[in-house]
Amino acid sequence: MVQEKAAPFGDAAAIIVAAGSFTRMGGIPKQLVPLAGRPVIAHTVAAFEQSGAIREIVLVARPEEQEALRTICRENGFAKVKAIPPGGRTRQESVAAGLACLSEGPAYYAIHDGARPLVTPEMIDGTIRAARRYRAASAAVRVKDTVKIADADGFVESTPDRRRLWNVQTPQVFEAALYRQAMREAAEKGLDFTDDCQLLERMGVRVFLYETDYTNLKITTPEDLPIAERLLQARKSDEV
């Protein structure tokens, strides 16, 4: 079990990336789609708002959706959201835009997909605790299915040991100085990654996989919405 380092309350900042395309959602901005009576992004931000480890939030948006997200934050009373900058052409550029808006105070950065609305404050805080110990950590779950590696023609080449395979989620949490160094070096070398852990991996930094929950799913296609709705309803039933 990960032992938490002594740390001040609210020693982390969150960058929530909600600037991606939504082609697989039938042209509907997935962060604005209603989910259990609230936009998807409202559920996401609420979890970080409730996290005791998070002191500030930057929400990176598509330029045409900045005003809508400002309205959502205002209507929901999200006091920790300090900026809603426009995103870039790639995920890495969007995270860099968020990074530029953060204050210098936080010791850790939590990078999260805006389209993962079922994340909980407990998942966030647990991943941050792991990062305090290991410098870099990501929410993740163990792979359930057998995975095959295939050749270019679709024939099986090998079967990796499932016990060593994980599905990586977000948040992904890193020491602030370390992450800034990784972003700087990637920019200097013209490297662009879709996963923030890769920034640290290329530097030789070991990233700890903090086991969370299969419910921390990403809204990618319309079929994901009813699943997320049922999971939220089940959570509310458990709380009663």
Side-chain angles (χ1 to χ4, degrees):
M1 181 178 292
V2 175
Q3 297 298 315
E4 182 178 358
K5 284 185 178 179
F9 177 84
D11 63 338
I15 298 174
I16 300 176
V17 184
S21 63
F22 44 86
T23 53
R24 285 178 287 181
M25 286 295 293
I28 303 172
K30 55 188 175 184
Q31 57 269 14
L32 301 180
V33 171
L35 175 63
R38 305 170 79 185
V40 163
I41 194 64
H43 292 278
T44 306
V45 178
F48 284 84
E49 185 80 17
Q50 294 162 16
S51 164
I54 297 295
R55 72 161 67 171
E56 63 185 54
I57 301 168
V58 170
L59 180 56
V60 186
R62 293 166 61 90
E64 60 269 32
E65 290 158 17
Q66 284 176 280
E67 191 54 43
L69 294 187
R70 289 191 189 99
T71 299
I72 290 170
C73 290
R74 184 172 58 251
E75 290 178 346
N76 286 273
F78 294 145
K80 292 182 181 179
V81 177
K82 66 169 293 186
I84 306 179
R89 295 172 301 165
T90 67
R91 175 188 171 83
Q92 189 169 304
E93 288 184 2
S94 293
V95 176
L99 196 61
C101 296
L102 292 176
S103 66
E104 296 182 1
Y108 298 89
Y109 298 147
I111 319 298
H112 189 69
D113 296 323
R116 286 191 187 273
L118 272 69
V119 69
T120 65
E122 292 76 20
M123 293 177 194
I124 296 165
D125 293 347
T127 311
I128 292 171
R129 286 196 298 271
R132 291 189 189 126
R133 179 172 182 179
Y134 298 111
R135 307 184 72 196
S138 175
V141 290
R142 297 177 188 273
V143 169
K144 293 181 179 181
D145 299 324
T146 297
V147 176
K148 301 288 185 181
I149 297 176
D151 62 20
D153 297 316
F155 291 93
V156 173
E157 284 188 342
S158 62
T159 305
D161 184 353
R162 186 173 63 187
R163 292 173 297 179
R164 300 186 62 190
L165 299 178
W166 294 69
N167 286 325
V168 175
Q169 305 173 336
T170 62
Q172 297 180 355
V173 185
F174 313 99
E175 278 187 358
L178 184 65
Y179 187 73
R180 284 187 179 274
Q181 178 187 348
M183 287 286 277
R184 192 164 52 246
E185 290 187 11
E188 290 170 354
K189 296 180 184 295
L191 302 174
D192 191 272
F193 299 106
T194 57
D195 174 77
D196 292 281
C197 290
Q198 291 177 282
L199 289 161
L200 283 297
E201 291 166 26
R202 66 159 296 277
M203 293 172 56
V205 176
R206 300 177 71 199
V207 179
F208 181 79
L209 296 179
Y210 176 76
E211 191 164 7
T212 52
D213 195 305
Y214 293 99
T215 62
N216 186 21
L217 58 81
K218 187 175 183 179
I219 304 297
T220 304
T221 65
E223 292 77 17
D224 296 324
L225 286 167
I227 297 172
E229 187 102 24
R230 286 195 293 272
L231 289 170
L232 284 172
Q233 290 172 351
R235 281 184 185 174
K236 288 182 181 179
S237 298
D238 291 341
E239 292 171 0
V240 175

